[in-house]
Amino acid sequence: MSETAMQTEKMNDAHTTYLRDYQVPDYLIDEVDLHFDLHDDATIVTSRLRIRHNRFSSSKKHDLLLNGEELKLESLLLNGEAVKDSAYELTDKMLILHDVPDNFELQITTRIYPQKNTALTGLYCPHTTYCTQCEAEGFRRITYFPDRPDVLARYTTTIAADEKKFPTLLSNGNLIASGKLENGRHWVKWEDPFNKPCYLFALVAGDFDLLKDTFTTQSGNEIQLRIYVEKGYGEQAHHAMYSLKEAMRWDEKTYGREYDLDIYMIVAIGDFNMGAMENKGLNIFNTKYILAKPETATDEDYIQILSVIGHEYFHNWSGNRITCRDWFQLSLKEGLTIFRDQSFSEDTLSHAVMRIQDVIALREVQFVEDASPLAHPVRPDHYIEINNFYTSTIYNKGAEVLRMLQTILGKTLFRKGMDLYFTRHDGQAVTIEDFVKAMEDVSGIDLRQFRLWYSQAGTPIVSVEDDYDEEQQIYRLNIQQKTLPTPNQPNKKPLHIPITMGLLDQNGKEIPIESQSEVVLQLTAAAQTFTFENIPARPIPSLLRNFSAPVKLNYPYSDSNLQFLCKHDKDAFNRWEAGQQYALRLLLNLIRDYQHDKPLQLDPEYIAMFEHILKEKNADKFLLAEMLKIPSEKYIGEQMDIIDVDAIHAAREFLITEIATQLQTTLLAIYQANQSAKSAVFNIEEVGKRQLKNRCLMYLMLLPKYQELGLEQFETSLKTNMSDLQPALTAIANLDNPHREKALEAFYEAWKHDALVVDKWLSIQATSKLPHTLATVKKLVRHEAFDIKNPNKVYALIGAFGQRNPVNFHTASGEGYAFLREIVHQLDKLNPQIAARMVNPLTSWKRYDKERQALMQKQLEVLLQDTKISTDLYELVSKSL
């Protein structure tokens, strides 16, 4: 078969689902009674379904369509009688029953093989723990069912298993019964009183350490809190429990949302495709977002745990009590819940730093996505594989859309809109349109134009010019917006863009605008002029404060303007942004000089600004540490028409080395002044000290005379403080000397029995700047610490190398591309979801020089030649080509 024929065959197999084709389900399910009999060789699943015809269905047929994959049908009973062979059809994807009545009970018994399930969707058992992952379409790998989010039912789940091997048996809802069986087996029965879609079903069976606590809601209900972790790791669940209770308090205070069951359970699993899953009453988490103690987890880990715990808890209302009508509405639950967890992290930790970090993630991932062949709207209109749409656009851009909506309405009206949304749609599967309508109803604001944010892909470019009339004391901002074409969307309409801004005088003081220090400009046309009266002197504008819209801003700031804003702007985000834009401007100039073989020189004004930041009195140290970061190589590349990885790397290394060289005395003094005896304490003051100290260490370690500092910090923190240990080892891993191998070996020997710490060890080596890193990564693939079946290991080694080490991944020989293609091919046979995530670095091949383009394109074409390529991988590869 020719390559073209193979691709055509695969294209025919790859069914595309369109939003325009949505139809209500023909049949609804009121009750689901599940029985799981867990055995070493197989699991028997019996489901009893109370089914009724949907009176809103337009279908003339009385056929019941049930999804099912990797299932062995054992028996099929309708109202207690066996269904005749002629009354149903069975394919590898579907069970179809013909001419069913309007109301009936269906009992289905299937046999499944969780121990063989390497895709980690449905019910799987990679080692000694059974676990489920049903979002988006995993429930069909457990039993035959209408696997779609708009079929809501009440679930009862009975689980039977060997009591010695699996003393803990969990499912959604409240435990209502349990008992003993013969041959050392036992059973439990769980009941969830709330209707839910099947993607929120969960089951866990295993042997765990258990951390217990309680939480009393604002109305006085006592909730039992349970966190289950792998045996021997119970001591590492305390921060997760703290985070859960903080999230519960925050949601009551901020949105008036109380928890609604008697018990809230979390289980940490080491083999998990996702970060976490919000299954009703039984959240399942990747261990990465639960386990933490100072010896093994960094401050960044603690912060991520707080955020992800909050995210999954907040889903109880924004995702569970109210869910999506269809998967095109995914951002309805994910974008909203990301916005809620970002707000929670800002309120709990640091408004400025959390906002900065969220914007960095948005620019480095989502903006890239918006400019790629894989660009799609926040509400897509079609997909081949829904797993490919758990993207930064759906999540992070979706959150930014909600943040803009709050800015446009104001916090008071936005909260009223949220209250109306929760009240109006509780217990329903709804659409993004339903959410926006609630906001319109409480505010009276016409949001028809704002809705375009959900249907139009691409990152808007906002260009600003200004003029000042000294005689009239009038200042004007002339603002234009445009969005470049994206796949299937060549023509773009103007969006409703809120631009928060202020004006500064030449002394750095705010100039009042309508008696306020800042205002929100509502940009709704392709071009608009905003006029400000009674402005006594030409101001310096502070635009897009707190990053009030997910856009690219162009304004002709001079270098001195950027220095001024970095020193004086009252908006912390814009202070940081001014420093970043100044550094980016210098870096792009250095890149041009490098490309033309000119000697690299640094503007002394930049060093002066950097020193001013370092020496600022009474500074927020957490924010200061963030301001000392230089734009990443990835972000720099996105500002170029053709990404030149070698020039970017050379220019950035030159800049950070110059900073280290010229400011070494100040950096050393700050490093020494921020040593702390409270290395085990997680609070913002101590986190700020550690972050600032270790940012200074990163610079100092670029100079040979200070490398002993890193080696000493490594030795003193090896078994006591991961927040100091990881940055020290990261810096050492970039040294081409014997200390490097000794430190890496010592780290592994100390922590080889802790899977999450080993993941750090893998990532540190995968992101090393040294030229032999690809060879190291290939060697690590064969190391005992690596398991290609474990997603965390793949993310830590392969993901880190492909996505966080551009200079070595994009080596001119193309070896990095061939290596990644080989790994992706292996993964696709085991776990298509992870294969699709790993192929991402190859999909942006058109952004590079012609030589690299050809090399990357070749590897994508090789992947596409596989006639057994998964739909997950096929969709991404074919679209990128």
Side-chain angles (χ1 to χ4, degrees), residues 340-367:
R340 274 153 52 75
D341 87 54
Q342 288 179 349
S343 302
F344 165 61
S345 296
E346 289 173 13
D347 290 348
T348 308
L349 299 169
S350 164
H351 280 272
V353 176
M354 293 301 101
R355 184 64 183 140
I356 288 167
Q357 292 182 355
D358 288 337
V359 172
I360 290 172
L362 183 81
R363 286 172 166 171
E364 292 193 356
V365 182
Q366 197 282 317
F367 279 20

Side-chain angles (χ1 to χ4, degrees), residues 155 171-176 190-196 200 215-217 219 221-225 248 258-265 278-283 313 316-317 320-321:
Y155 283 68
S171 192
N172 311 85
N174 300 315
L175 181 66
I176 59 173
W190 293 84
E191 181 182 65
D192 187 348
F194 294 95
N195 283 354
K196 66 170 179 280
L200 290 174
F215 179 83
T216 302
T217 68
S219 62
N221 296 326
E222 185 174 88
I223 311 299
Q224 301 299 311
L225 307 179
M248 297 176 85
E258 285 193 23
Y259 187 62
D260 50 11
L261 290 170
D262 299 333
I263 187 169
Y264 189 93
M265 299 174 287
E278 70 267 20
N279 315 297
K280 182 72 178 182
L282 177 58
N283 289 183
Y313 175 75
N316 186 58
W317 278 92
N320 295 3
R321 288 283 288 260

Side-chain angles (χ1 to χ4, degrees), residues 824-851:
V824 167
H825 182 77
Q826 293 177 51
L827 282 168
D828 201 37
K829 309 305 177 189
L830 300 168
N831 190 328
Q833 281 188 40
I834 306 303
R837 291 174 194 173
M838 289 303 104
V839 81
N840 186 266
L842 292 174
T843 62
S844 58
W845 60 278
K846 294 179 183 178
R847 293 298 312 282
Y848 296 86
D849 58 76
K850 291 182 179 179
E851 292 75 20

Side-chain angles (χ1 to χ4, degrees), residues 149-164:
D150 57 351
V151 175
L152 309 180
R154 292 186 303 279
Y155 283 68
T156 304
T157 305
T158 302
I159 311 166
D162 184 284
E163 186 171 17
K164 186 175 180 180

